[in-house]
Amino acid sequence: ARTTRVYLALSVALGGATAGLVIAQATLLADLIGRAFLGGASLAALRTPLLLLLGVVAGRAFVAWLQEVAAHRSSAAVKSQLRGRLLAQAVRLGPAWLSGERGGELATVATRGIDALDGYFSRYLPQLVLAVIVPLAVGVRILSGDWLSALIIALTLPLIPVFAILVGLSTRAKMDRQWRTLSMLAGHFLDVVAGLPTLKVFGRAKAQARTVREVTDRYRRATMATLRVAFLSALVLELLATLSVALVAVSIGLRLVNGEIGLRTALLVLILAPEAYLPLRQVGAQYHASVEGLTAAERIFEVIETPAPAAGSRADVPDPARATIRLRGVTVGYAPALADLSLTVHPGETVALTGPNGAGKSTLLAVLLGFVRPDAG
């Protein structure tokens, strides 16, 4: 979506600022704890570092707030643009195309489907940027202080995206099934509402209510299955991150006891290690929030990319009210009455189209409006 380019550039800048603030916060914390417990520094001597730490914490909160605002504004702009394009394309494709589609499913895509993209733009994309920038910056800082901890992190960090992808593939398959069930439910419900008077006349309303209840229950089961996988994903990613940080902590603890590493460096690494894993864990969690929107987006772009009928080659008539409409030998294969049809409508003339259902009255109007291209004529 073109409207996200500025937002993505801003996300990269804010991601860089977040990485810098994370490192600054860890450095100040390690320095404060080291000076307080090893150096015995007084509160007065630690006032300046404490104020700096407070400023860094406030800076992280401000950057997070700014990222939220930018994400939601970008998401709103993208959804508005996509919804406009979807509706404009549906108008271009015309009633002939719409009659062959499920109206309820298209309505669901244009409303809930596009709204579901909010999670992708406001949550997943910003976290994806942070998952690239923050671990890299934190890893470089840890490497400058303790190469062994940096090596452990470098070896264990790739496990999180690998497992996130494996679980994500299962989530995507379940979400596709859930979206198909929702589309079926929306289409069926719309058809039932449209035909409710007829159903009441023939005493079939309760039977259709049972059908709606069954489809709703199927949708509930599909949703719960998707949520189970999402919670499993969170458990797996949390466990991997916890075990990885524990490996770093054990390594640092043993070397700290043997005097092979200083307390300040050990504290710095221990504070920074969880920050290296956190963005990747968050990416896995936010992916589940965005996958419904991504599933709907496939259907949205399928509609947008459907070839529309070609426009006429004649220039606009200067005064349409005084134009004469002529049809010569117009033939549309699936309409019985539209076989070698010739018709002339003069300015100001009123013509009534009559005939049984299915004869081709609506098709003739669609031909005149350019929504249906005749096979001949």
Side-chain angles (χ1 to χ4, degrees):
R2 291 185 295 274
T3 53
T4 59
R5 290 172 184 169
V6 175
Y7 160 65
L8 288 175
L10 181 62
S11 290
V12 171
L14 292 174
T18 300
L21 290 168
V22 164
I23 294 171
Q25 179 179 315
T27 304
L28 285 169
L29 270 174
D31 184 59
L32 277 167
I33 296 170
R35 287 173 63 183
F37 288 93
L38 290 183
S42 64
L43 185 61
L46 297 175
R47 183 177 291 113
T48 301
L50 281 170
L51 290 173
L52 286 173
L53 180 61
L54 184 62
V56 169
V57 172
R60 284 191 68 178
F62 175 73
V63 168
W65 173 80
L66 198 60
Q67 201 156 28
E68 284 283 322
V69 171
H72 283 292
R73 290 197 174 186
S74 171
S75 175
V78 169
K79 290 191 296 181
S80 177
Q81 184 192 68
L82 270 182
R83 189 171 280 120
R85 289 178 61 190
L86 180 66
L87 294 176
Q89 178 70 355
V91 170
R92 278 194 298 269
L93 291 170
W97 177 82
L98 284 170
S99 63
E101 299 292 322
R102 295 193 301 255
E105 189 245 355
L106 286 174
T108 304
V109 168
T111 51
R112 173 165 176 163
I114 290 180
D115 285 336
L117 285 169
D118 203 18
Y120 179 77
F121 286 105
S122 64
R123 292 280 182 266
Y124 180 69
L125 274 186
Q127 200 59 52
L128 200 60
V129 173
L130 291 178
V132 174
I133 297 174
V134 173
L136 185 62
V138 168
V140 170
R141 181 66 184 89
I142 291 175
L143 181 62
S144 66
D146 180 27
W147 68 269
L148 186 57
S149 297
L151 179 63
I152 294 173
I153 291 173
L155 291 174
T156 55
L157 201 62
L159 294 175
I160 293 181
V162 167
F163 278 89
I165 289 169
L166 291 175
V167 179
L169 291 173
S170 175
T171 305
R172 189 63 183 268
K174 289 184 179 297
M175 187 58 76
D176 287 343
R177 193 179 308 120
Q178 180 192 7
W179 182 256
R180 285 195 300 270
T181 306
L182 177 61
S183 299
M184 184 192 309
L185 174 62
H188 186 76
F189 187 75
L190 190 67
D191 290 340
V192 168
V193 170
L196 199 55
T198 307
L199 292 171
K200 289 290 289 181
V201 167
F202 290 99
R204 298 298 299 166
K206 289 186 178 180
Q208 288 301 318
R210 283 195 298 272
T211 305
V212 170
R213 193 179 302 115
E214 290 171 5
V215 178
T216 305
D217 189 60
R218 200 181 312 158
Y219 175 66
R220 179 189 60 79
R221 289 197 299 269
T223 302
M224 295 305 295
T226 306
L227 287 175
R228 279 195 293 271
V229 174
F231 289 134
L232 173 65
S233 168
L235 172 66
V236 169
L237 298 183
E238 288 285 345
L239 183 62
L240 280 172
T242 303
L243 291 175
S244 301
V245 173
L247 285 174
V248 175
V250 168
S251 168
I252 286 176
L254 291 173
R255 285 181 291 139
L256 190 62
V257 170
N258 295 328
E260 297 173 9
I261 188 172
L263 178 62
R264 186 178 179 280
T265 303
L267 286 171
L268 177 67
V269 173
L270 281 175
I271 294 169
L272 281 178
E275 298 287 351
Y277 297 97
L278 180 61
L280 288 169
R281 283 162 40 207
Q282 290 296 323
V283 164
Q286 298 303 339
Y287 176 78
H288 298 291
S290 68
V291 73
E292 182 181 0
L294 294 176
T295 304
E298 292 182 0
R299 176 59 175 148
I300 293 166
F301 287 113
E302 181 184 322
V303 174
I304 290 175
E305 292 166 6
T306 301
S313 58
R314 293 284 300 273
D316 290 341
V317 179
D319 186 2
R322 301 184 63 183
T324 298
I325 299 171
R326 288 191 179 90
L327 301 180
R328 298 192 193 93
V330 170
T331 300
V332 179
Y334 61 84
L338 298 186
D340 196 25
L341 173 71
S342 296
L343 171 68
T344 302
V345 182
H346 297 287
E349 184 179 2
T350 301
V351 176
L353 293 176
T354 63
N357 288 339
K361 301 184 296 296
S362 299
T363 303
L364 176 57
L365 292 175
V367 169
L368 289 170
L369 291 169
F371 292 132
V372 172
R373 291 187 67 82
D375 299 319

